[in-house]
Amino acid sequence: MAIMDSINHKQKSGSVADPALASTMRLPLEELVDPDAEMHLDIRVADDDRPQRLRLMKRPYSIGRKVDADITLNQPGISRNHARILYLNNEEIIEDTGSTNGTYVNGVRISRCVLQNNDIIRIGDATLLFTRTPRK
């Protein structure tokens, strides 16, 4: 995949309902998500750690070193207010909030992108695996 820039590394043909996000995300119709699916983050802070699973609800999550962050990652290389996960139009979106060391999705530095099943998020030395599981 040719990478034009880190903001639209997942840009594809299609449209997005929120015009403010239209320049950063486009999804084809075949990638519409199940609004009833369960979303999780498997969080691994060090390579030898067992991941901790966090079930995501349909609300914003702050990620950073701050104790009052929704997802606290107290590690070097992680900003106090590093990133956030938003839920808009039945999609989960990760957005870097001006961190020093960046937020990476599948190895590409991003400022904002739509999360898809099995995306690997890298924040400092922490790895977060995003999964979407259809409800039975």
Side-chain angles (χ1 to χ4, degrees), residues 39-43 52-56 61 70-71:
M39 289 77 61
H40 295 94
L41 281 179
D42 291 326
I43 303 168
Q52 296 179 358
R53 176 161 276 201
L54 171 66
R55 180 172 181 222
L56 296 176
Y61 287 86
D70 296 312
I71 301 171

Side-chain angles (χ1 to χ4, degrees), residues 28-43:
L29 291 176
E30 64 270 12
E31 290 192 25
L32 291 176
V33 295
D34 176 2
D36 294 325
E38 290 187 8
M39 289 77 61
H40 295 94
L41 281 179
D42 291 326
I43 303 168

Side-chain angles (χ1 to χ4, degrees), residues 47-65:
D47 288 336
D48 57 348
D49 276 352
R50 292 179 53 97
Q52 296 179 358
R53 176 161 276 201
L54 171 66
R55 180 172 181 222
L56 296 176
M57 306 305 286
K58 296 177 181 178
R59 68 172 185 84
Y61 287 86
S62 60
I63 304 171
R65 262 194 358 254

Side-chain angles (χ1 to χ4, degrees), residues 8-117:
N8 62 12
H9 84 279
K10 287 191 173 189
Q11 188 171 4
K12 297 176 182 168
S13 63
S15 65
V16 174
D18 185 348
L21 301 177
S23 65
T24 60
M25 302 175 302
R26 298 190 186 280
L27 293 175
L29 291 176
E30 64 270 12
E31 290 192 25
L32 291 176
V33 295
D34 176 2
D36 294 325
E38 290 187 8
M39 289 77 61
H40 295 94
L41 281 179
D42 291 326
I43 303 168
R44 185 182 304 256
V45 176
D47 288 336
D48 57 348
D49 276 352
R50 292 179 53 97
Q52 296 179 358
R53 176 161 276 201
L54 171 66
R55 180 172 181 222
L56 296 176
M57 306 305 286
K58 296 177 181 178
R59 68 172 185 84
Y61 287 86
S62 60
I63 304 171
R65 262 194 358 254
K66 284 180 29 176
V67 176
D68 63 345
D70 296 312
I71 301 171
T72 301
L73 302 172
N74 193 10
Q75 298 289 313
I78 297 175
S79 299
R80 288 180 297 127
N81 295 308
H82 197 101
R84 64 184 177 170
I85 295 176
L86 308 169
Y87 182 80
L88 295 170
N89 302 319
N90 294 323
E91 298 174 322
E92 294 71 38
I93 298 162
I94 189 160
E95 182 175 72
D96 187 275
T97 54
S99 69
T100 301
N101 295 316
T103 301
Y104 294 80
V105 176
N106 300 325
V108 177
R109 188 171 183 160
I110 59 94
S111 61
R112 175 190 285 172
C113 77
V114 174
L115 290 173
Q116 297 179 18
N117 192 37

